[in-house]
Amino acid sequence: MTAIVRLAGVTKRYRRGREVVTAVDDVSLDLPPGSMIALVGPSGSGKTTLLNLICGGDEPDDGTIEGPLDTADWSQLAIVPQTIGLLPELTMGENVGMPIRLGAPAATDVAEVMERLGIGALADRPPEETSLGEQQRAAVARALVTAPGLLIADEPTSHQDEANTDRVGEALADVVVSGSCVLVATHDSRLLARCDLVFHMRDGVVTGANGVTRAGSG
Ligand code: ADP
Ligand code: MG
């Protein structure tokens, strides 16, 4: 199957004074379409750096990344950042609808996706009048309004309880069924149970991958 993203020998170094940190060290991997893929590893192992490289937020020092950015079609890529990244001057609903306002084709109704993630009643509120968990679900909703080919989510359930983790997991699983590739950095066992493939990271190196048997639907 043709990969949606192909990394070959990708390396990223950060310089802090005299010290050089190799945050991502010679990583090669393929991300197949129609799959949910996890990146797991201890804090500081390079997960966020690797996600940033894949979504074009940063450039590798070595290696190549082939992916949706090659086509410059931004509607093919959606990101749920670890820092959530809602615009404070917009309402929750306006934040969720932002990709559509920027010209991406809408795949689902803003109100519908917000309802699904349990934030339907919050559409007219500014983010600062909502909880961090609700803001994080708005960031997930914003990534889902366009049915992207590649959805990258950095610890998307870090502020969720179990019921809301399942809401997020189900919504992500649905875009996978429609053919997208979802790549998540996560430690969450409820989310990992939905993944087809798990890459393990340590000190910038992808040390291995496991296929995961899909848990029953629910
Ligand atoms: P993770 O997401 O797995 O917690 P990160 O990708 O955030 O890990 O960080 C990997 C390593 O790179 C860590 O040692 C971190 O301190 C370092 N690092 C990340 N971003 C920067 C930066 N902008 N400048 C210097 N070092 C950084
Ligand atoms: Mg991180």
Side-chain angles (χ1 to χ4, degrees), residues 6 11 21 42-43 62 74 119 127 156 166 191 211:
R6 175 158 291 167
T11 298
V21 177
S43 180
D62 285 307
W74 286 91
I119 49 173
D166 288 342
L191 205 50

Side-chain angles (χ1 to χ4, degrees), residues 120-144:
L122 306 179
D124 296 329
R125 281 207 219 164
E128 66 178 6
E129 291 175 21
T130 66
S131 75
L132 202 50
E134 288 161 348
Q135 291 170 34
Q136 188 172 45
R137 274 178 281 138
V140 172
R142 181 182 56 189
L144 293 171

